[in-house]
Each structure stands twice: as structure tokens, then as C-alpha cells.
Amino acid sequence: MVPKITSMAVAKPLCSVSCLLLSSSLVFVVSLLFFFSNSLTSDQNPRISLDTFHTGINVFVAELPRSLNYGLLDKYWSSSPDSRIPSDPDHPTRKTNSPKPEKYPPYPENPLIKQYSAEYWIMGDLETPPEKRTGSFAKRVFSESEADVVFVPFFATLSAEMELGNGKGSSFRKKSGNEDYQRQRQVLDFLKNTQAWKRSGGRDHVFVLTGNLFRSDPVAMWHVREEIALSILLVVDFGGWFRQDSKSFNGTSFPERIEHTQVSVIKDVIVPYTHLLPRLDLSQNKRRHSLLYFKGAKHRHRGGLIREKLWDLLVDEHGIVMEEGFPNATGREQSIRGMRSSEFCLHPAGDTPTSCRLFDAIQSLCIPVIVSDNIELPFEGMIDYSEFSVFVSVSDALRPKWLANHLRNFSERDKETFRSRMAKVQSVFVYDNGKADGIGPIQPDGAVNHIWKKVHQKVPMVKEAVFRERRKPAATSVPLRCQCI
């Protein structure tokens, strides 16, 4: 008979081993929690903790001729003034003397063009010498085989805006005599002959297509948009693109059933407009006297019809300022005063779901009031807009007195919290690196790096699509037939 003490003697070391394993596991878990808590609560950059393990993205720049990027700026500065800008002799929006030809000319101050300057700052970062790019998430490589993506250095929006600014809006959709179309065709003809395009079908090519002014349809690369449908598109919103898709959906328009064949949050990246108003630091914020501010055109097309209805509802409300104006120098000063003296800034849809007004409000620490049922915003997943913005459904906004009463219900503490959170993300929407030629170190926490981080998230999906396409068996020229006997 085995003594009972023997079982106890065996059980004791088993317990010790179990306890040891449990203790080790607890130490490991606590260490992980400590690590992640430090990452997630970092005051310096609380939004980009998911990028801790990312080393960057390898970018090859397609070898397009200079005439399709910086050469376009040379042409812009030597051309006549933009026909869409009203004359303002006190505050001209176009310099009297064109700058001397430079390797890297400055970007226009014309507000109709400047708001779409993402292409300039992204290119400027890639053109900056490597020793000055230590804070850049994108690493420029000079071999297609080393690249994660291929950047297409075509200033597509500038090209389109120059065509429109020369008074050729009526012929923009035509190909004959359209210099912008000729440039679009030149870009695609070049790319399609490269090994990089043939290898991926253009899926890993990145196009900057921020222009979206022509009757709310996309203007950049408009004539060849179907040929780049598989590529990674950097756009300010999907509004005009979705409408283009809806036209090809069996000749009908059902927004909830649109097959988005050209743009998608899965493969494309929403990027911010370039803000036109200067940044207001939180320490400079002063008491605000107005409840709500809006400046812009009352009458817009399509989705912007909501703006006209809101205008009529709000224009006579106490504490609400609704101003109609144009984005020239005078209008800019009015906007600065209006946004800095108001608690909230109205952001209804215009010709498209978004505008640079949203990013001007953020730089002005004016709490955005976003009236939209469907809107895509830059860097979602990295930034939670609900922490510093007020989202309102269209149906609620159109109820008489509802919006004003809703905004008045926010306490001073609520508004201070919104503004302090907003101040932490202001830099995220800044492209400008402070250099007149766009060449130099970028802000590590700025718009350019955030764009490349979003593109980096698309890379695995792009590679999967390329590999799946590559493995498809080639179709035989003669169909096989069953030889039955």
C-alpha cells in the first residue's frame, strides 16, 4: 500500500511548476500592458501608436519628364491671370512679377489652386536630399524592384486647374485642343510602357487627384480615370467619383447600390485639403462672441442644395453669422476674424461632401459642425473626429431652431475640451514645410507622413491582388473542344 505522503510529495513539485508558469505569464502580460499603455498614453503623439512597428514605405518615383510637374509651375507663372479670380487691386491674389525660373518653383497662392497643393508637398518631400529626410515615413528608392509603391509625379490637379483658369471650362470634357487631356495621355502612355505597370497593372501606382471643382465631378485625370481605376488614388473625397460610378450602374442611380469601380476606402486614401487660414495656437485663443459661423457661397449644385436650406433657416438666428463671399484676400481676412471669434463653424456639403473650410476651422480652433449623412474624412482610424467635432444628420439640421438649440446645450467645459483635443491634431493637417520651394524636412506628425502611413496600410492588399492576377492561367487562343467518340 502506497503511503498517502507519497502523493503529497508528488503534488508539491507539480504545484510549484504550475505556480512558476503562472507567475511568468503574469509578468509577461504585465510587461506587455506597461509597454502598450506607454504607447497609447503618450502625450507627444497619442494617435499613431499603431505605427510603432512600421519602418516606413519604399517609394519609387516614376521617371516622368519635368514638364509634367515642376515645368507646369514654370508655365503657370508665365501665363495670364486666372480668369475665375475677380480683380482685387488692394490684395492681388496673383503676383505682379513672375518668379525667375527655378528648379523648384513656388506653388501658387491662388486659393482655388492652393487648396489642392498636396501633390506639390508630397513631391517636395521625395525630392528632398536623403540626409534631410530623417523624419519622413516614405523612403525613396531608385529601383522598381525595391519599391512597395510607385509614385506618379504628375501635378494632375494643377494641370486641370490651369485649363479651367484659362477660361476653357466649357471645353474641359473635350479632347480636341485640351492641353490637360494631352498631358494626361502622355502620362498614361509613358506608364503603360514601364515594367512596373506591366507587372502590377498599375495597382501599386499612386496618383494624387485632389482637384474636384468641375460641377462637383473630379477634374484631375478626368479623361483617363477609368484607366487608373485599379491604382491607389489620393483624393479629397469620393463625392464626384461616386456620381461617376452611378452613371455606369445600368444607367440608373442608386447610391446605396453603387459598385464603386473607381474609388474605394479599401484601396484609396482620403487626404486633407490644404488649409488657407493660418494656425491659431491654443495659448492665443481668446473669448469667442458668436455661436456659429459660416462663410461661402449660398447656392451650390447637387449635394450642396442642403447649404441653401440651412442658410435660410439660420441667417436670422441670434449669435449665428452667415456670410457670402469669395476666397480672395479680402474674404480670407473676413474668414480669419469670423472663425476665431466663433465657438462653432458650420460645415455643410457644397458641390462635394468636404471642402478646405473644415481644415481652416481646425487651424482656427473653431469647433466643426459637420452636417452630412455620408462623408469620408482623412486619416480615420488614426484620428477620431468625434473627439473635437459635432456631427449632425441632415434631417436634424433642417428642423427649425434645432441646430442652434443643440449647440447652445454644450457647456463651456465641453467646448474647452473640444478645442484642447483639436489643438493636438492641428499639425496632422499641415502640408507646408516652411520652404518656399517645398524642398526640405517635413513635419514628422504632418499631413505628408500621415498620407504615406495610410498608403502603407494598403500595400498588403495591393500585393495580394497583384499575385492573384499573376497566377491566373492565360487564355488559349483556340477554345478546347471535347473530342467525343
Side-chain angles (χ1 to χ4, degrees):
M1 184 175 179
V2 180
K4 291 182 179 180
I5 192 170
T6 303
S7 64
M8 291 178 64
V10 173
K12 186 175 182 180
L14 287 174
C15 178
S16 300
V17 171
S18 300
C19 292
L20 182 60
L21 290 173
L22 180 60
S23 301
S24 300
S25 299
L26 286 172
V27 170
F28 178 71
V29 170
V30 170
S31 299
L32 282 178
L33 288 173
F34 178 79
F35 173 79
F36 283 112
S37 64
N38 281 346
S39 299
L40 294 173
T41 59
S42 169
D43 292 333
Q44 189 175 21
N45 200 341
R47 299 171 304 282
I48 321 177
S49 57
L50 293 177
D51 295 318
T52 302
F53 305 106
H54 293 173
T55 56
I57 183 171
N58 290 339
V59 181
F60 176 80
V61 180
E63 298 173 348
L64 294 179
R66 185 178 181 277
S67 61
L68 294 171
N69 40 72
Y70 292 107
L72 277 175
L73 287 170
D74 292 336
K75 186 172 184 177
Y76 173 86
W77 287 114
S78 62
S79 63
S80 57
D82 193 322
S83 62
R84 300 167 297 171
I85 299 286
S87 59
D88 185 357
D90 295 326
H91 304 89
T93 57
R94 189 69 171 273
K95 293 180 175 63
T96 303
N97 298 317
S98 301
K100 296 178 180 179
E102 304 173 26
K103 184 178 180 180
Y104 302 112
Y107 205 77
E109 288 295 320
N110 177 341
L112 294 181
I113 299 177
K114 184 179 180 179
Q115 63 181 329
Y116 301 122
S117 62
E119 55 196 9
Y120 181 76
W121 300 108
I122 295 173
M123 183 66 177
D125 172 46
L126 294 170
E127 285 286 293
T128 298
E131 63 273 13
K132 295 182 179 180
R133 301 189 67 245
T134 55
S136 298
F137 188 76
K139 177 186 176 183
R140 183 170 182 177
V141 296
F142 295 88
S143 170
E144 296 174 354
S145 61
E146 298 177 13
D148 294 312
V149 294
V150 177
F151 178 73
V152 180
F154 175 42
F155 289 173
T157 299
L158 177 63
S159 175
E161 292 294 338
M162 287 173 62
E163 191 75 13
L164 293 170
N166 289 332
K168 299 179 181 179
S170 59
S171 61
F172 181 82
R173 295 179 187 271
K174 299 178 182 178
K175 297 179 179 179
S176 178
N178 187 332
E179 294 183 15
D180 178 45
Y181 165 71
Q182 294 169 11
R183 290 188 285 263
Q184 293 176 35
R185 192 70 266 158
Q186 183 182 353
V187 170
L188 263 294
D189 290 346
F190 173 86
L191 292 174
K192 288 185 174 181
N193 282 318
T194 63
Q195 288 302 313
W197 185 280
K198 293 175 181 178
R199 184 173 59 249
S200 70
R203 288 177 174 83
D204 56 0
H205 284 53
V206 179
F207 291 84
V208 187
L209 308 180
T210 50
N212 216 14
L213 280 179
F214 191 64
R215 294 179 184 174
S216 75
D217 290 336
V219 297
M221 302 293 280
W222 190 84
H223 289 280
V224 297
R225 63 194 184 284
E226 294 181 2
E227 297 178 58
I228 60 174
L230 298 178
S231 301
I232 301 172
L233 310 181
L234 309 186
V235 296
V236 290
D237 60 46
F238 289 158
W241 291 92
F242 281 3
R243 273 185 287 276
Q244 290 297 323
D245 275 356
S246 68
K247 292 175 184 177
S248 61
F249 188 76
N250 296 329
T252 60
S253 179
F254 300 104
E256 69 278 6
R257 297 184 59 194
I258 293 174
E259 295 181 353
H260 301 310
T261 56
Q262 294 173 354
V263 290
S264 166
V265 291
I266 297 174
K267 72 175 185 69
D268 302 316
V269 175
I270 299 291
V271 304
Y273 286 81
T274 301
H275 63 87
L276 301 178
L277 304 187
R279 176 174 177 170
L280 175 69
D281 291 330
L282 188 61
S283 61
Q284 298 173 318
N285 185 58
K286 297 180 180 179
R287 191 172 184 276
R288 295 169 182 254
H289 304 285
S290 301
L291 175 68
L292 181 66
Y293 178 77
F294 174 81
K295 182 177 181 62
K298 176 181 178 180
H299 305 284
R300 305 311 297 169
H301 303 95
R302 297 175 178 173
L305 295 176
I306 178 67
R307 183 186 295 186
E308 187 171 343
K309 295 179 181 178
L310 276 172
W311 190 294
D312 292 336
L313 280 174
L314 299 172
V315 68
D316 294 324
E317 281 278 356
H318 176 70
I320 294 180
V321 180
M322 306 289 286
E323 293 181 342
E324 190 157 15
F326 195 83
N328 54 15
T330 302
R332 179 178 182 273
E333 294 304 316
Q334 292 172 344
S335 294
I336 292 174
R337 290 193 299 270
M339 287 193 170
R340 292 189 177 190
S341 61
S342 297
E343 301 280 10
F344 299 92
C345 281
L346 185 63
H347 184 71
D351 287 342
T352 54
T354 60
S355 72
C356 71
R357 188 178 297 104
L358 171 61
F359 307 101
D360 284 338
I362 292 172
Q363 297 304 319
S364 303
L365 295 177
C366 186
I367 303 166
V369 178
I370 300 173
V371 180
S372 177
D373 295 327
N374 296 290
I375 190 170
E376 302 293 344
L377 297 167
F379 315 138
E380 290 199 271
M382 296 177 175
I383 293 174
D384 184 354
Y385 285 82
S386 65
E387 291 189 345
F388 58 86
S389 305
V390 177
F391 288 85
V392 177
S393 68
V394 171
S395 59
D396 280 340
L398 292 179
R399 292 163 57 188
K401 304 290 183 179
W402 186 92
L403 183 58
N405 291 335
H406 179 61
L407 297 180
R408 290 191 179 102
N409 284 333
F410 286 94
S411 67
E412 289 300 320
R413 184 174 181 178
D414 291 335
K415 291 180 282 190
E416 288 175 6
T417 301
F418 275 133
R419 272 192 287 273
S420 64
R421 290 172 178 171
M422 204 185 320
K424 293 179 180 179
V425 299
Q426 283 177 307
S427 61
V428 172
F429 304 107
V430 175
Y431 288 102
D432 199 321
N433 63 6
K435 306 295 182 181
D437 59 3
I439 306 299
I442 60 171
Q443 293 190 40
D445 197 23
V448 173
N449 267 356
H450 274 74
I451 289 171
W452 284 121
K453 287 172 183 175
K454 292 296 285 188
V455 172
H456 189 265
Q457 294 175 3
K458 315 291 181 181
V459 171
M461 180 274 300
V462 170
K463 288 184 177 179
E464 179 181 342
V466 171
F467 291 166
R468 292 179 66 184
E469 186 68 24
R470 190 179 298 168
R471 66 167 167 76
K472 289 183 179 179
T476 56
S477 56
V478 180
L480 296 176
R481 296 184 179 180
C482 176
Q483 301 295 326
C484 302
I485 298 177

